[in-house]
Amino acid sequence: MSSLPRLYSFRRCPYAMRARLGLLFAGLKVELREIVLKNKPAPMLEISPKGTVPVLELPDDRVIEESREILEWALAQNDPEGLLDVDLQLAAGLLDQNDGDFKHWLDRYKYADRHPEMSQQEYRQHGEVFLKVLEGLLTDRPYLLGNTISIADIGIMPFVRQFAHVDRQTFYALPYPKLQQWLQNWLEHPVFLQAMTKFEPWQEGDEVVVFPAV
Ligand SMILES: N[C@@H](CCC(=O)N[C@@H](CS)C(=O)NCC(=O)O)C(=O)O
């Protein structure tokens, strides 16, 4: 393989967004292979049979197949903006809540028709428990853990975005003004916009696509 790490990614996946944000904030370049979830490429399944994105394949053949580990690996290589200069236990606790309960309720809120046990509104209200935690943190600071961006912000932002985009009108009418502003700032942030660059799905024989391109 080329000397760059290789990232299997899916543009709209919040876990993959988190990994791409981590790579960008670390200033690293990777070979990017955009995938289609319904047709995962064989080389990806060979190195990571569990079949989820993101997957990062390192030049020494190590494979990192959890988004949080990719994020941590990237920032451990290089962290010019100090995303790890926070209470890492606090950050881990927030990421656990995000990936645990919040993701659980987010999926049900998003696909309420597939989960008729509760109404969509009830699912949303369960998800809001975490939104309230985030709103509380943002009361006196612009980012979740302080005055600068941390690993918690980039690890959580893609999921709050997904929650908001289930029904933007409802989200922006909820009583979480700090969180709404935080999300809005992220949606306009140049690094987030770069993380959302569109790529054609990778096929065997394609030329190497380097991310970010510049
Ligand atoms: N715990 C994993 C979860 C990754 C995950 O579930 N990704 C979804 C896409 S957002 C996936 O690949 N699902 C497999 C599928 O839909 O076939 C991580 O943090 O990387």
Side-chain angles (χ1 to χ4, degrees):
M1 71 186 278
S2 73
S3 57
L4 291 178
R6 179 180 289 151
L7 182 73
Y8 289 92
S9 180
F10 176 56
R11 182 173 178 273
R12 290 188 356 241
C13 167
Y15 297 101
M17 281 179 211
R18 163 193 281 173
R20 297 194 302 271
L21 285 168
L23 292 163
L24 289 172
F25 274 100
L28 299 174
K29 281 196 187 296
V30 294
E31 174 187 341
L32 188 129
R33 290 184 173 178
E34 177 74 14
I35 73 141
V36 177
L37 287 174
K38 286 199 188 101
N39 185 19
K40 293 168 191 152
M44 173 182 137
L45 293 173
E46 270 161 36
I47 57 161
S48 182
K50 79 181 170 89
T52 62
V53 280
V55 178
L56 189 69
E57 185 180 8
L58 299 179
D60 66 5
D61 290 340
R62 267 184 302 153
V63 175
I64 311 181
E65 49 184 350
E66 282 296 321
S67 60
R68 269 172 78 171
E69 288 172 21
I70 296 174
L71 189 52
E72 284 159 9
W73 175 85
L75 294 171
Q77 307 308 302
N78 200 20
D79 184 18
E81 298 200 27
L83 272 71
L84 295 177
D85 296 346
V86 285
D87 182 334
L88 292 176
Q89 266 194 333
L90 217 56
L94 283 175
L95 288 163
D96 286 345
Q97 284 181 61
N98 181 85
D99 292 13
D101 278 358
F102 181 61
K103 179 69 167 88
H104 172 90
W105 296 116
L106 165 59
D107 286 346
R108 276 151 190 77
Y109 175 44
K110 187 169 177 196
Y111 301 110
D113 50 338
R114 298 183 202 165
H115 301 278
E117 311 83 76
M118 288 188 202
S119 69
Q120 190 183 32
Q121 186 186 345
E122 285 171 298
Y123 288 131
R124 192 193 75 226
Q125 285 163 346
H126 279 291
E128 282 181 53
V129 171
F130 186 56
L131 301 189
K132 285 176 192 144
V133 171
L134 302 181
E135 178 73 13
L137 289 170
L138 293 167
T139 304
D140 58 353
R141 49 183 110 152
Y143 298 102
L144 293 175
L145 296 179
N147 286 324
T148 55
I149 296 170
S150 80
I151 185 170
D153 295 282
I154 63 170
I156 290 171
M157 172 271 160
F159 298 83
V160 176
R161 170 184 177 272
Q162 198 172 65
F163 191 97
H165 289 191
V166 173
D167 178 348
R168 286 180 177 76
Q169 218 179 335
T170 299
F171 177 80
Y172 285 102
L174 294 171
Y176 312 124
K178 301 283 187 186
L179 185 66
Q180 287 150 353
Q181 190 58 59
W182 173 86
L183 178 63
Q184 201 49 48
N185 293 345
W186 270 116
L187 296 178
E188 293 163 14
H189 195 290
V191 177
F192 178 69
L193 296 175
Q194 196 172 23
M196 294 307 283
T197 309
K198 287 188 178 150
F199 294 98
E200 288 301 315
W202 175 78
Q203 287 183 341
E204 197 79 58
D206 279 357
E207 292 215 358
V208 168
V209 171
V210 176
F211 171 84
V214 284

